[in-house]
Amino acid sequence: MHILKSSDLTKEYCDKLFLKAWSFANNGTLLNVLSGRIVGTLFFEPSTRTRWSFEAAALKLGGQLLSMENAATSSSGKKGESLADTLKTCSNYCDLLIVRHPEDDAIEEAAQYATVPVINAGSGKKEHPTQGLIDLWTILQNCGTYDNGYKLKNDLDILFTGDVSCSRTCNSLINLLAIYGLEKISLHSEGIAYLTSFRKSVYHYYGDQIYSRLPHIDVLYMTRHQAEREGNREKSKFIITHEFAEVMKRNAIIMHPFPRNEEIHPSTDKNIRAVYFNQIENGLWIRMALLADLIGIKVS
Ligand code: NCD
């Protein structure tokens, strides 16, 4: 099984992963469910959190790594090899491949040539399903309940801001929120590129309108300006500070997939609503859960 698109995932599968992630987060001991397994990482775009959290997850579970950073310049792709040939080749040397690529559809197309599971670790503007899982789990932990399955708070009010139309993390998260029954989203941005499975209401807010929305929302999901993506998009002028965060509801949360630029003022870090560092930590537990599920030794 590959993990390529957020819209391919089911609520049942996500719930199962979240429970597994919860058990990893609450069990500090080293486990050997990946003993004898090799995880390969191929990153054709920069990464800090995604690559290291996947690699740490593999190591913590007793697995080993074949890791290629800067794959755009150090793999045979540089000599004109197709991604399909690279994934087919690398499938011989490892039990699972984690791939990041700047093109929107390249990983999904090439994955059919791989003979081991492929995890999409970020494809262009389109998909970042594992970040979507991390973000959804973080929302459920703060604005959800668990009773024989995870459930979002009724009428959850989430506002996305920043370079939303080029943000693969927003797209993946919105698809997953739809799977969990979210009825509406708000955007403080010029629309979203790939709204594949969200068929409910989308409300738009512009410029200073964000300040009057802040006291009403449950989740503020921020993104950086994606300077590396093509197109002429205006950079958002909104910067969250501790002072602005204080006008939000007491139990509202501020999220960001990171890396952050100037859109989050460092004063916000001390605000009780800032959960972006929890999001980063959750990345480890969710990725451990994914690796254990996809290639872990099954213990009965
Ligand atoms: C994001 C990404 O690479 O899509 N970061 C991440 O994986 N946590 C967000 C970004 O680059 O802005």
Side-chain angles (χ1 to χ4, degrees), residues 46 49-50 100 128 131 168-169 224 226 228 257-259:
R49 277 151 291 275
T50 305
R100 171 170 284 191
H128 196 346
Q131 185 65 42
R168 55 196 179 201
T169 71
R224 72 181 169 95
Q226 305 262 321
E228 71 274 35
F258 270 46

Side-chain angles (χ1 to χ4, degrees), residues 161-175:
T161 180
D163 200 356
V164 180
S165 66
C166 283
S167 168
R168 55 196 179 201
T169 71
C170 290
N171 184 54
S172 292
L173 173 59
I174 291 169
N175 287 337

Side-chain angles (χ1 to χ4, degrees), residues 36-226:
R37 304 280 201 256
I38 298 176
V39 171
T41 60
L42 281 168
F43 277 65
F44 292 81
E45 264 193 354
S47 169
T48 300
R49 277 151 291 275
T50 305
R51 193 164 69 90
W52 270 39
S53 59
F54 263 122
E55 294 189 355
L59 293 171
K60 272 181 173 284
L61 293 172
Q64 288 175 291
L65 292 168
L66 275 173
S67 182
M68 197 188 293
E69 56 171 334
N70 302 321
T73 50
S74 62
S75 74
S76 292
K78 180 74 177 165
K79 299 182 190 172
E81 182 170 80
S82 68
L83 189 60
D85 280 353
T86 304
L87 298 195
K88 192 176 167 77
T89 301
C90 293
S91 297
N92 291 292
Y93 315 133
C94 61
D95 300 289
L96 176 140
L97 279 163
I98 298 165
V99 189
R100 171 170 284 191
H101 198 276
E103 287 169 34
D104 292 354
D105 297 307
I107 300 172
E108 202 185 330
E109 285 163 14
Q112 55 185 303
Y113 299 92
T115 53
V116 296
V118 175
I119 297 181
N120 177 351
S123 50
K125 310 181 289 297
K126 197 172 186 178
E127 276 286 357
H128 196 346
T130 67
Q131 185 65 42
L133 286 165
I134 293 160
D135 296 346
L136 173 61
W137 193 42
T138 307
I139 293 172
L140 287 165
Q141 285 172 335
N142 290 280
C143 309
T145 49
Y146 184 85
D147 180 13
N148 216 4
Y150 284 93
K151 197 172 171 297
L152 286 172
K153 157 182 197 283
N154 280 339
D155 226 15
L156 182 89
D157 195 339
I158 178 164
L159 174 67
F160 292 85
T161 180
D163 200 356
V164 180
S165 66
C166 283
S167 168
R168 55 196 179 201
T169 71
C170 290
N171 184 54
S172 292
L173 173 59
I174 291 169
N175 287 337
L176 291 177
L177 286 166
I179 293 168
Y180 275 70
L182 189 76
E183 292 290 329
K184 62 167 191 284
I185 56 169
S186 301
L187 302 181
H188 178 252
S189 189
E190 285 298 332
I192 186 152
Y194 299 97
L195 217 43
T196 48
S197 62
F198 198 76
R199 301 272 172 270
K200 305 289 173 56
S201 311
V202 182
Y203 298 94
H204 291 269
Y205 297 90
Y206 299 100
D208 288 350
Q209 287 179 327
I210 191 166
Y211 297 104
S212 50
R213 282 290 291 137
L214 284 179
H216 306 289
I217 58 178
D218 300 300
V219 182
L220 176 65
Y221 189 97
M222 308 196 65
T223 58
R224 72 181 169 95
H225 187 71
Q226 305 262 321

